[in-house]
Amino acid sequence: MHPWRASPLDQPHLLRPRVGLRHLSTTAPLRAQYTRFSSNGRSHAHQGQWDPRTKIIAFIGAGGVVYYVAHLEQVPETGRLRFMDISPKYEAKLAQVAYAELLSEFQGKILPAHHPITRHVRRVVTDILDASDLGTLHSSEPRRSLSGSDDLWRDDPFSAARPNASPPEIGGKEWNLLVVDDPKVINAMATFGNIVVFTGILPICKDEHGLAAVLGHEIGHVVARHAPERYSYSKVLILFAFLLQSVGLDIGITNLLSKLLLELPNSRTQELEADTIGMHLTAKACHDPQAAIEVHKRLAKHEQAFAGSTLEFLRTHPGEARRIQHLQELIPKAHSIMASSPRCAWCDRFHRAVPWRHASVELIVDVLWGHGQKEICRLSMMHHSVKYLLV
């Protein structure tokens, strides 16, 4: 090697262009192009596609909507749309179960059929059912319990539920009545054709017209099939809660939203609807429609004195002020029903002819029975405001 000729290793500038060319021509440009291509490719590939979890949620939601729409129906008495997927056959089974549970729950507190209060309540119930052709009360005499007690208030009227019980709105046309001796419970209820009246509600009712208002409301629940509607609606609540949890909401918040947005509003709607139907039923039975308003005024006073007030959107029932206003709006219709009823015309004529305030019930019965008007006797006794002396 000549001393003046340097080796390529001794001349680094001869290698730099090649290294630089390799870096610029291969690594950097290709890496940049690959990154851009990968990004664009992914966005196109996933555009318009759902992950499996989203697909399942969407499928369940869509199926639930279709099922819900397919089972919508109108309440005959009011025209309200509601979801109902309980068949009459299954409802009859629910009626049997409900009756057996009522007998078991109130065992030892049910008044016998021959007790004065039971007979009194039974008379008002029969009048309401007969006037609207809703069926009849079960007429079997109660069987005494083997407890050995002679206390009329402690007899157990039935030892088991009847196997063929069915709700009247599906063709059974037979109702059950249980009067429960519990003065602390200010309530009455009716479900699947089973009517339960607690003695604690009688002072609030005050007279037969007030009792008819309460019973008309409860029977209205059965006529409108509110119990099977609630049973059906529970499925809607479950689906709603599932969808809310699927989007990540906490189970506590989900349950709260379901209750506030769906369950409680639907319950209040049913109560107002039962008020409407009950007012019509009692008017057909020739009872004073104003009594319903007076009953709710007394309930409002009792609530203020003992229970306090609660915001309406947190309650299952509308506030008393709202219910009273609603009932006042129904009064003209109720008077129209009474005016067009031949049944009520007989009661009204007799009510004007006899000085009720100065005549005893016994005297009126004697007068009517003497003239052979037994049916008018029964109706006029209901039309008269008999005060409750036993409570």
Side-chain angles (χ1 to χ4, degrees):
M1 179 179 296
H2 295 282
W4 53 267
R5 184 176 296 179
S7 170
L9 296 176
D10 296 331
Q11 300 179 8
H13 63 280
L14 297 177
L15 298 176
R16 286 173 189 163
R18 291 186 178 183
V19 175
L21 288 175
R22 288 183 59 189
H23 177 73
L24 293 174
S25 62
T26 59
T27 308
L30 288 178
R31 182 179 301 171
Q33 290 178 4
Y34 175 78
T35 302
R36 288 196 299 271
F37 177 79
S38 174
S39 176
N40 293 337
R42 287 179 181 177
S43 64
H44 287 295
H46 289 273
Q47 188 175 9
Q49 293 186 2
W50 292 351
D51 59 89
R53 181 172 176 270
T54 304
K55 290 180 180 180
I56 293 175
I57 295 173
F59 178 79
I60 294 176
V65 171
V66 172
Y67 186 82
Y68 178 86
V69 173
H71 290 83
L72 288 177
E73 67 173 25
Q74 278 190 323
V75 180
E77 293 74 19
T78 62
R80 175 178 64 91
L81 277 177
R82 50 104 177 271
F83 173 73
M84 176 73 73
D85 68 344
I86 299 297
S87 67
K89 185 176 181 181
Y90 186 68
E91 190 174 344
K93 294 181 180 180
L94 293 178
Q96 297 178 24
V97 174
Y99 185 67
E101 290 179 350
L102 290 173
L103 292 175
S104 176
E105 181 178 359
F106 302 119
Q107 186 176 9
K109 292 185 177 182
I110 303 174
L111 300 184
H114 59 273
H115 192 278
I117 292 183
T118 303
R119 294 170 64 183
H120 181 64
V121 174
R122 184 183 185 88
R123 186 170 66 249
V124 178
V125 172
T126 300
D127 191 45
I128 295 174
L129 297 181
D130 288 348
S132 298
D133 193 25
L134 294 176
T136 59
L137 279 174
H138 179 60
S139 58
S140 297
E141 286 298 318
R143 292 196 292 263
R144 298 179 65 88
S145 63
L146 301 177
S147 60
S149 173
D150 293 330
D151 188 357
L152 293 178
W153 293 78
R154 295 301 174 186
D155 281 352
D156 186 5
F158 300 99
S159 61
R162 301 192 324 280
N164 296 322
S166 58
E169 66 275 8
I170 65 169
K173 298 295 184 182
E174 188 174 59
W175 299 65
N176 301 309
L177 173 64
L178 301 176
V179 180
V180 180
D181 174 28
D182 195 338
K184 295 182 180 180
V185 179
I186 303 177
N187 193 19
M189 59 183 181
T191 175
F192 300 117
N194 302 308
I195 303 172
V196 181
V197 177
F198 296 88
T199 55
I201 194 66
L202 299 182
I204 299 295
C205 295
K206 191 177 180 180
D207 54 34
E208 282 197 358
H209 295 304
L211 178 60
V214 171
L215 292 173
H217 169 88
E218 299 303 331
I219 293 174
H221 278 302
V222 180
V223 171
R225 301 181 65 202
H226 285 165
E229 178 185 348
R230 286 192 295 270
Y231 192 88
S232 301
Y233 202 67
S234 63
K235 302 167 188 175
V236 177
L237 298 178
I238 293 174
L239 177 61
F240 183 73
F242 169 77
L243 294 177
L244 289 181
Q245 292 184 38
S246 299
V247 299
L249 289 182
D250 180 73
I251 186 172
I253 298 177
T254 296
N255 293 336
L256 179 63
L257 290 176
S258 299
K259 196 173 188 66
L260 294 180
L261 299 180
L262 296 177
E263 183 177 355
L264 294 181
N266 188 64
S267 176
R268 292 190 292 268
T269 298
Q270 288 186 348
E271 292 300 324
L272 292 176
E273 190 171 66
D275 284 342
T276 301
I277 299 173
M279 180 70 81
H280 295 167
L281 294 177
T282 54
K284 290 180 180 179
C286 311
H287 287 282
D288 184 8
Q290 186 67 30
I293 297 177
E294 299 303 322
V295 166
H296 282 284
K297 287 181 179 179
R298 290 190 286 270
L299 282 173
K301 291 181 180 179
H302 181 273
E303 183 179 286
Q304 292 175 358
F306 297 97
S309 59
T310 309
L311 295 177
E312 182 172 321
F313 74 94
L314 296 175
R315 301 173 53 168
T316 58
H317 289 57
E320 293 300 334
R322 183 184 176 192
R323 296 186 76 173
I324 291 174
Q325 180 182 0
H326 176 68
L327 290 169
Q328 288 173 338
E329 296 171 354
L330 298 173
I331 293 292
K333 175 66 175 178
H335 284 156
S336 176
I337 293 174
M338 296 179 68
S340 61
S341 170
R343 179 190 185 99
C344 299
W346 273 104
C347 290
D348 186 57
R349 268 188 279 174
F350 188 80
H351 180 74
R352 294 177 183 178
V354 179
W356 291 92
R357 298 185 180 212
H358 304 286
S360 67
V361 175
E362 291 77 15
L363 175 61
I364 296 168
V365 171
D366 290 340
V367 171
L368 289 172
W369 205 272
H371 288 80
Q373 303 292 337
K374 297 181 181 180
E375 178 65 15
I376 300 178
C377 170
R378 187 180 68 82
L379 294 177
S380 61
M381 283 188 66
M382 288 187 232
H383 194 72
H384 181 51
S385 297
V386 181
K387 304 296 181 181
Y388 292 113
L389 304 176
L390 300 176
V391 292

PDB file of all heavy atoms in Angstrom, residues 45-73:
ATOM      1  N   ALA A  45     -61.902  -0.751   8.761  1.00  0.00           N
ATOM      2  CA  ALA A  45     -62.293  -2.116   9.098  1.00  0.00           C
ATOM      3  C   ALA A  45     -63.349  -2.150  10.198  1.00  0.00           C
ATOM      4  O   ALA A  45     -64.248  -2.979  10.187  1.00  0.00           O
ATOM      5  CB  ALA A  45     -61.072  -2.927   9.541  1.00  0.00           C
ATOM      6  N   HIS A  46     -63.279  -1.183  11.184  1.00  0.00           N
ATOM      7  CA  HIS A  46     -64.187  -1.212  12.327  1.00  0.00           C
ATOM      8  C   HIS A  46     -65.350  -0.251  12.175  1.00  0.00           C
ATOM      9  O   HIS A  46     -66.194  -0.174  13.069  1.00  0.00           O
ATOM     10  CB  HIS A  46     -63.404  -0.865  13.611  1.00  0.00           C
ATOM     11  CG  HIS A  46     -62.466  -1.959  14.018  1.00  0.00           C
ATOM     12  ND1 HIS A  46     -62.862  -3.012  14.815  1.00  0.00           N
ATOM     13  CD2 HIS A  46     -61.148  -2.161  13.721  1.00  0.00           C
ATOM     14  CE1 HIS A  46     -61.825  -3.822  15.014  1.00  0.00           C
ATOM     15  NE2 HIS A  46     -60.780  -3.328  14.365  1.00  0.00           N
ATOM     16  N   GLN A  47     -65.388   0.465  11.098  1.00  0.00           N
ATOM     17  CA  GLN A  47     -66.477   1.402  10.912  1.00  0.00           C
ATOM     18  C   GLN A  47     -67.776   0.635  10.672  1.00  0.00           C
ATOM     19  O   GLN A  47     -67.872  -0.212   9.801  1.00  0.00           O
ATOM     20  CB  GLN A  47     -66.174   2.321   9.720  1.00  0.00           C
ATOM     21  CG  GLN A  47     -67.182   3.458   9.575  1.00  0.00           C
ATOM     22  CD  GLN A  47     -66.778   4.397   8.461  1.00  0.00           C
ATOM     23  OE1 GLN A  47     -65.855   4.100   7.708  1.00  0.00           O
ATOM     24  NE2 GLN A  47     -67.460   5.523   8.371  1.00  0.00           N
ATOM     25  N   GLY A  48     -68.851   0.940  11.519  1.00  0.00           N
ATOM     26  CA  GLY A  48     -70.159   0.315  11.374  1.00  0.00           C
ATOM     27  C   GLY A  48     -70.277  -1.050  12.007  1.00  0.00           C
ATOM     28  O   GLY A  48     -71.292  -1.714  11.844  1.00  0.00           O
ATOM     29  N   GLN A  49     -69.284  -1.500  12.780  1.00  0.00           N
ATOM     30  CA  GLN A  49     -69.336  -2.807  13.429  1.00  0.00           C
ATOM     31  C   GLN A  49     -69.484  -2.643  14.938  1.00  0.00           C
ATOM     32  O   GLN A  49     -68.928  -1.720  15.527  1.00  0.00           O
ATOM     33  CB  GLN A  49     -68.076  -3.612  13.113  1.00  0.00           C
ATOM     34  CG  GLN A  49     -67.963  -4.013  11.638  1.00  0.00           C
ATOM     35  CD  GLN A  49     -66.776  -4.926  11.403  1.00  0.00           C
ATOM     36  OE1 GLN A  49     -66.061  -5.291  12.337  1.00  0.00           O
ATOM     37  NE2 GLN A  49     -66.559  -5.297  10.156  1.00  0.00           N
ATOM     38  N   TRP A  50     -70.317  -3.531  15.580  1.00  0.00           N
ATOM     39  CA  TRP A  50     -70.515  -3.539  17.033  1.00  0.00           C
ATOM     40  C   TRP A  50     -69.814  -4.735  17.639  1.00  0.00           C
ATOM     41  O   TRP A  50     -69.693  -5.788  17.019  1.00  0.00           O
ATOM     42  CB  TRP A  50     -72.005  -3.617  17.373  1.00  0.00           C
ATOM     43  CG  TRP A  50     -72.787  -2.390  17.003  1.00  0.00           C
ATOM     44  CD1 TRP A  50     -72.301  -1.192  16.570  1.00  0.00           C
ATOM     45  CD2 TRP A  50     -74.203  -2.252  17.015  1.00  0.00           C
ATOM     46  NE1 TRP A  50     -73.308  -0.319  16.324  1.00  0.00           N
ATOM     47  CE2 TRP A  50     -74.495  -0.931  16.585  1.00  0.00           C
ATOM     48  CE3 TRP A  50     -75.266  -3.104  17.339  1.00  0.00           C
ATOM     49  CZ2 TRP A  50     -75.798  -0.450  16.489  1.00  0.00           C
ATOM     50  CZ3 TRP A  50     -76.555  -2.631  17.258  1.00  0.00           C
ATOM     51  CH2 TRP A  50     -76.814  -1.314  16.831  1.00  0.00           C
ATOM     52  N   ASP A  51     -69.355  -4.552  18.859  1.00  0.00           N
ATOM     53  CA  ASP A  51     -68.760  -5.675  19.558  1.00  0.00           C
ATOM     54  C   ASP A  51     -69.876  -6.621  20.008  1.00  0.00           C
ATOM     55  O   ASP A  51     -71.060  -6.246  20.052  1.00  0.00           O
ATOM     56  CB  ASP A  51     -67.956  -5.178  20.765  1.00  0.00           C
ATOM     57  CG  ASP A  51     -68.820  -4.399  21.731  1.00  0.00           C
ATOM     58  OD1 ASP A  51     -69.409  -5.014  22.628  1.00  0.00           O
ATOM     59  OD2 ASP A  51     -68.919  -3.154  21.569  1.00  0.00           O
ATOM     60  N   PRO A  52     -69.571  -7.862  20.354  1.00  0.00           N
ATOM     61  CA  PRO A  52     -70.606  -8.851  20.715  1.00  0.00           C
ATOM     62  C   PRO A  52     -71.513  -8.410  21.859  1.00  0.00           C
ATOM     63  O   PRO A  52     -72.709  -8.665  21.844  1.00  0.00           O
ATOM     64  CB  PRO A  52     -69.782 -10.092  21.082  1.00  0.00           C
ATOM     65  CG  PRO A  52     -68.513  -9.932  20.303  1.00  0.00           C
ATOM     66  CD  PRO A  52     -68.227  -8.459  20.278  1.00  0.00           C
ATOM     67  N   ARG A  53     -70.951  -7.738  22.862  1.00  0.00           N
ATOM     68  CA  ARG A  53     -71.769  -7.300  24.004  1.00  0.00           C
ATOM     69  C   ARG A  53     -72.823  -6.296  23.574  1.00  0.00           C
ATOM     70  O   ARG A  53     -73.988  -6.373  23.985  1.00  0.00           O
ATOM     71  CB  ARG A  53     -70.852  -6.684  25.064  1.00  0.00           C
ATOM     72  CG  ARG A  53     -71.579  -6.215  26.323  1.00  0.00           C
ATOM     73  CD  ARG A  53     -70.567  -5.813  27.384  1.00  0.00           C
ATOM     74  NE  ARG A  53     -71.219  -5.278  28.570  1.00  0.00           N
ATOM     75  CZ  ARG A  53     -71.502  -3.995  28.737  1.00  0.00           C
ATOM     76  NH1 ARG A  53     -71.171  -3.124  27.780  1.00  0.00           N
ATOM     77  NH2 ARG A  53     -72.093  -3.574  29.830  1.00  0.00           N
ATOM     78  N   THR A  54     -72.442  -5.347  22.730  1.00  0.00           N
ATOM     79  CA  THR A  54     -73.399  -4.353  22.241  1.00  0.00           C
ATOM     80  C   THR A  54     -74.480  -5.002  21.404  1.00  0.00           C
ATOM     81  O   THR A  54     -75.655  -4.626  21.469  1.00  0.00           O
ATOM     82  CB  THR A  54     -72.664  -3.281  21.418  1.00  0.00           C
ATOM     83  OG1 THR A  54     -71.621  -2.706  22.213  1.00  0.00           O
ATOM     84  CG2 THR A  54     -73.625  -2.191  20.978  1.00  0.00           C
ATOM     85  N   LYS A  55     -74.096  -5.997  20.603  1.00  0.00           N
ATOM     86  CA  LYS A  55     -75.085  -6.695  19.788  1.00  0.00           C
ATOM     87  C   LYS A  55     -76.119  -7.400  20.652  1.00  0.00           C
ATOM     88  O   LYS A  55     -77.324  -7.371  20.359  1.00  0.00           O
ATOM     89  CB  LYS A  55     -74.385  -7.707  18.876  1.00  0.00           C
ATOM     90  CG  LYS A  55     -73.559  -7.084  17.755  1.00  0.00           C
ATOM     91  CD  LYS A  55     -72.919  -8.171  16.916  1.00  0.00           C
ATOM     92  CE  LYS A  55     -72.078  -7.573  15.782  1.00  0.00           C
ATOM     93  NZ  LYS A  55     -71.442  -8.621  14.960  1.00  0.00           N
ATOM     94  N   ILE A  56     -75.679  -8.032  21.731  1.00  0.00           N
ATOM     95  CA  ILE A  56     -76.606  -8.745  22.614  1.00  0.00           C
ATOM     96  C   ILE A  56     -77.577  -7.767  23.267  1.00  0.00           C
ATOM     97  O   ILE A  56     -78.789  -8.008  23.329  1.00  0.00           O
ATOM     98  CB  ILE A  56     -75.820  -9.533  23.678  1.00  0.00           C
ATOM     99  CG1 ILE A  56     -75.020 -10.658  23.013  1.00  0.00           C
ATOM    100  CG2 ILE A  56     -76.764 -10.103  24.733  1.00  0.00           C
ATOM    101  CD1 ILE A  56     -74.119 -11.406  23.963  1.00  0.00           C
ATOM    102  N   ILE A  57     -77.042  -6.630  23.741  1.00  0.00           N
ATOM    103  CA  ILE A  57     -77.898  -5.633  24.389  1.00  0.00           C
ATOM    104  C   ILE A  57     -78.922  -5.084  23.401  1.00  0.00           C
ATOM    105  O   ILE A  57     -80.111  -4.927  23.725  1.00  0.00           O
ATOM    106  CB  ILE A  57     -77.040  -4.493  24.976  1.00  0.00           C
ATOM    107  CG1 ILE A  57     -76.137  -5.036  26.099  1.00  0.00           C
ATOM    108  CG2 ILE A  57     -77.913  -3.359  25.487  1.00  0.00           C
ATOM    109  CD1 ILE A  57     -75.142  -4.029  26.619  1.00  0.00           C
ATOM    110  N   ALA A  58     -78.470  -4.784  22.193  1.00  0.00           N
ATOM    111  CA  ALA A  58     -79.383  -4.244  21.177  1.00  0.00           C
ATOM    112  C   ALA A  58     -80.457  -5.269  20.807  1.00  0.00           C
ATOM    113  O   ALA A  58     -81.629  -4.922  20.626  1.00  0.00           O
ATOM    114  CB  ALA A  58     -78.596  -3.838  19.938  1.00  0.00           C
ATOM    115  N   PHE A  59     -80.070  -6.532  20.715  1.00  0.00           N
ATOM    116  CA  PHE A  59     -81.027  -7.584  20.370  1.00  0.00           C
ATOM    117  C   PHE A  59     -82.084  -7.731  21.459  1.00  0.00           C
ATOM    118  O   PHE A  59     -83.288  -7.829  21.167  1.00  0.00           O
ATOM    119  CB  PHE A  59     -80.283  -8.906  20.165  1.00  0.00           C
ATOM    120  CG  PHE A  59     -81.178 -10.064  19.855  1.00  0.00           C
ATOM    121  CD1 PHE A  59     -81.690 -10.246  18.585  1.00  0.00           C
ATOM    122  CD2 PHE A  59     -81.521 -10.977  20.849  1.00  0.00           C
ATOM    123  CE1 PHE A  59     -82.532 -11.312  18.301  1.00  0.00           C
ATOM    124  CE2 PHE A  59     -82.357 -12.049  20.578  1.00  0.00           C
ATOM    125  CZ  PHE A  59     -82.859 -12.205  19.288  1.00  0.00           C
ATOM    126  N   ILE A  60     -81.654  -7.745  22.719  1.00  0.00           N
ATOM    127  CA  ILE A  60     -82.604  -7.881  23.827  1.00  0.00           C
ATOM    128  C   ILE A  60     -83.522  -6.664  23.889  1.00  0.00           C
ATOM    129  O   ILE A  60     -84.743  -6.782  24.085  1.00  0.00           O
ATOM    130  CB  ILE A  60     -81.847  -8.065  25.156  1.00  0.00           C
ATOM    131  CG1 ILE A  60     -81.093  -9.402  25.148  1.00  0.00           C
ATOM    132  CG2 ILE A  60     -82.812  -8.003  26.340  1.00  0.00           C
ATOM    133  CD1 ILE A  60     -80.248  -9.632  26.378  1.00  0.00           C
ATOM    134  N   GLY A  61     -82.952  -5.465  23.719  1.00  0.00           N
ATOM    135  CA  GLY A  61     -83.763  -4.254  23.748  1.00  0.00           C
ATOM    136  C   GLY A  61     -84.801  -4.224  22.643  1.00  0.00           C
ATOM    137  O   GLY A  61     -85.964  -3.893  22.872  1.00  0.00           O
ATOM    138  N   ALA A  62     -84.385  -4.581  21.421  1.00  0.00           N
ATOM    139  CA  ALA A  62     -85.325  -4.586  20.294  1.00  0.00           C
ATOM    140  C   ALA A  62     -86.414  -5.640  20.493  1.00  0.00           C
ATOM    141  O   ALA A  62     -87.598  -5.389  20.228  1.00  0.00           O
ATOM    142  CB  ALA A  62     -84.568  -4.853  18.992  1.00  0.00           C
ATOM    143  N   GLY A  63     -86.018  -6.809  20.975  1.00  0.00           N
ATOM    144  CA  GLY A  63     -87.013  -7.845  21.239  1.00  0.00           C
ATOM    145  C   GLY A  63     -88.001  -7.435  22.314  1.00  0.00           C
ATOM    146  O   GLY A  63     -89.199  -7.719  22.216  1.00  0.00           O
ATOM    147  N   GLY A  64     -87.499  -6.744  23.348  1.00  0.00           N
ATOM    148  CA  GLY A  64     -88.380  -6.269  24.405  1.00  0.00           C
ATOM    149  C   GLY A  64     -89.386  -5.251  23.902  1.00  0.00           C
ATOM    150  O   GLY A  64     -90.556  -5.272  24.296  1.00  0.00           O
ATOM    151  N   VAL A  65     -88.945  -4.345  23.023  1.00  0.00           N
ATOM    152  CA  VAL A  65     -89.857  -3.341  22.460  1.00  0.00           C
ATOM    153  C   VAL A  65     -90.948  -4.005  21.627  1.00  0.00           C
ATOM    154  O   VAL A  65     -92.133  -3.656  21.724  1.00  0.00           O
ATOM    155  CB  VAL A  65     -89.063  -2.320  21.620  1.00  0.00           C
ATOM    156  CG1 VAL A  65     -90.015  -1.406  20.848  1.00  0.00           C
ATOM    157  CG2 VAL A  65     -88.153  -1.488  22.510  1.00  0.00           C
ATOM    158  N   VAL A  66     -90.563  -4.974  20.803  1.00  0.00           N
ATOM    159  CA  VAL A  66     -91.550  -5.679  19.972  1.00  0.00           C
ATOM    160  C   VAL A  66     -92.560  -6.415  20.852  1.00  0.00           C
ATOM    161  O   VAL A  66     -93.776  -6.368  20.606  1.00  0.00           O
ATOM    162  CB  VAL A  66     -90.841  -6.655  19.014  1.00  0.00           C
ATOM    163  CG1 VAL A  66     -91.857  -7.533  18.288  1.00  0.00           C
ATOM    164  CG2 VAL A  66     -89.986  -5.895  18.019  1.00  0.00           C
ATOM    165  N   TYR A  67     -92.081  -7.095  21.893  1.00  0.00           N
ATOM    166  CA  TYR A  67     -92.967  -7.831  22.799  1.00  0.00           C
ATOM    167  C   TYR A  67     -93.902  -6.875  23.528  1.00  0.00           C
ATOM    168  O   TYR A  67     -95.094  -7.167  23.713  1.00  0.00           O
ATOM    169  CB  TYR A  67     -92.124  -8.617  23.796  1.00  0.00           C
ATOM    170  CG  TYR A  67     -92.923  -9.529  24.697  1.00  0.00           C
ATOM    171  CD1 TYR A  67     -93.326 -10.785  24.257  1.00  0.00           C
ATOM    172  CD2 TYR A  67     -93.259  -9.141  25.984  1.00  0.00           C
ATOM    173  CE1 TYR A  67     -94.051 -11.633  25.082  1.00  0.00           C
ATOM    174  CE2 TYR A  67     -93.996  -9.970  26.822  1.00  0.00           C
ATOM    175  CZ  TYR A  67     -94.380 -11.215  26.367  1.00  0.00           C
ATOM    176  OH  TYR A  67     -95.105 -12.032  27.179  1.00  0.00           O
ATOM    177  N   TYR A  68     -93.364  -5.726  23.935  1.00  0.00           N
ATOM    178  CA  TYR A  68     -94.166  -4.728  24.651  1.00  0.00           C
ATOM    179  C   TYR A  68     -95.294  -4.205  23.765  1.00  0.00           C
ATOM    180  O   TYR A  68     -96.463  -4.165  24.182  1.00  0.00           O
ATOM    181  CB  TYR A  68     -93.254  -3.582  25.098  1.00  0.00           C
ATOM    182  CG  TYR A  68     -93.969  -2.462  25.815  1.00  0.00           C
ATOM    183  CD1 TYR A  68     -94.200  -2.524  27.179  1.00  0.00           C
ATOM    184  CD2 TYR A  68     -94.403  -1.331  25.127  1.00  0.00           C
ATOM    185  CE1 TYR A  68     -94.850  -1.503  27.844  1.00  0.00           C
ATOM    186  CE2 TYR A  68     -95.052  -0.300  25.777  1.00  0.00           C
ATOM    187  CZ  TYR A  68     -95.273  -0.394  27.137  1.00  0.00           C
ATOM    188  OH  TYR A  68     -95.929   0.628  27.786  1.00  0.00           O
ATOM    189  N   VAL A  69     -94.971  -3.825  22.542  1.00  0.00           N
ATOM    190  CA  VAL A  69     -95.978  -3.273  21.632  1.00  0.00           C
ATOM    191  C   VAL A  69     -97.037  -4.323  21.294  1.00  0.00           C
ATOM    192  O   VAL A  69     -98.230  -4.018  21.192  1.00  0.00           O
ATOM    193  CB  VAL A  69     -95.302  -2.740  20.355  1.00  0.00           C
ATOM    194  CG1 VAL A  69     -96.343  -2.315  19.327  1.00  0.00           C
ATOM    195  CG2 VAL A  69     -94.371  -1.571  20.691  1.00  0.00           C
ATOM    196  N   ALA A  70     -96.610  -5.571  21.157  1.00  0.00           N
ATOM    197  CA  ALA A  70     -97.550  -6.635  20.794  1.00  0.00           C
ATOM    198  C   ALA A  70     -98.554  -6.935  21.905  1.00  0.00           C
ATOM    199  O   ALA A  70     -99.613  -7.512  21.639  1.00  0.00           O
ATOM    200  CB  ALA A  70     -96.783  -7.906  20.436  1.00  0.00           C
ATOM    201  N   HIS A  71     -98.243  -6.550  23.147  1.00  0.00           N
ATOM    202  CA  HIS A  71     -99.123  -6.844  24.274  1.00  0.00           C
ATOM    203  C   HIS A  71     -99.757  -5.583  24.861  1.00  0.00           C
ATOM    204  O   HIS A  71    -100.173  -5.583  26.031  1.00  0.00           O
ATOM    205  CB  HIS A  71     -98.357  -7.597  25.369  1.00  0.00           C
ATOM    206  CG  HIS A  71     -97.999  -9.000  24.987  1.00  0.00           C
ATOM    207  ND1 HIS A  71     -96.893  -9.299  24.226  1.00  0.00           N
ATOM    208  CD2 HIS A  71     -98.614 -10.187  25.241  1.00  0.00           C
ATOM    209  CE1 HIS A  71     -96.823 -10.610  24.043  1.00  0.00           C
ATOM    210  NE2 HIS A  71     -97.856 -11.168  24.649  1.00  0.00           N
ATOM    211  N   LEU A  72     -99.845  -4.529  24.081  1.00  0.00           N
ATOM    212  CA  LEU A  72    -100.553  -3.328  24.519  1.00  0.00           C
ATOM    213  C   LEU A  72    -102.057  -3.527  24.344  1.00  0.00           C
ATOM    214  O   LEU A  72    -102.511  -4.126  23.368  1.00  0.00           O
ATOM    215  CB  LEU A  72    -100.087  -2.106  23.735  1.00  0.00           C
ATOM    216  CG  LEU A  72     -98.692  -1.566  24.047  1.00  0.00           C
ATOM    217  CD1 LEU A  72     -98.364  -0.393  23.140  1.00  0.00           C
ATOM    218  CD2 LEU A  72     -98.591  -1.136  25.517  1.00  0.00           C
ATOM    219  N   GLU A  73    -102.805  -3.011  25.295  1.00  0.00           N
ATOM    220  CA  GLU A  73    -104.260  -3.061  25.211  1.00  0.00           C
ATOM    221  C   GLU A  73    -104.841  -1.826  25.894  1.00  0.00           C
ATOM    222  O   GLU A  73    -104.139  -1.112  26.613  1.00  0.00           O
ATOM    223  CB  GLU A  73    -104.812  -4.326  25.868  1.00  0.00           C
ATOM    224  CG  GLU A  73    -104.618  -4.370  27.366  1.00  0.00           C
ATOM    225  CD  GLU A  73    -105.319  -5.554  28.013  1.00  0.00           C
ATOM    226  OE1 GLU A  73    -105.537  -6.554  27.317  1.00  0.00           O
ATOM    227  OE2 GLU A  73    -105.634  -5.470  29.224  1.00  0.00           O
TER     228      GLU A  73
END
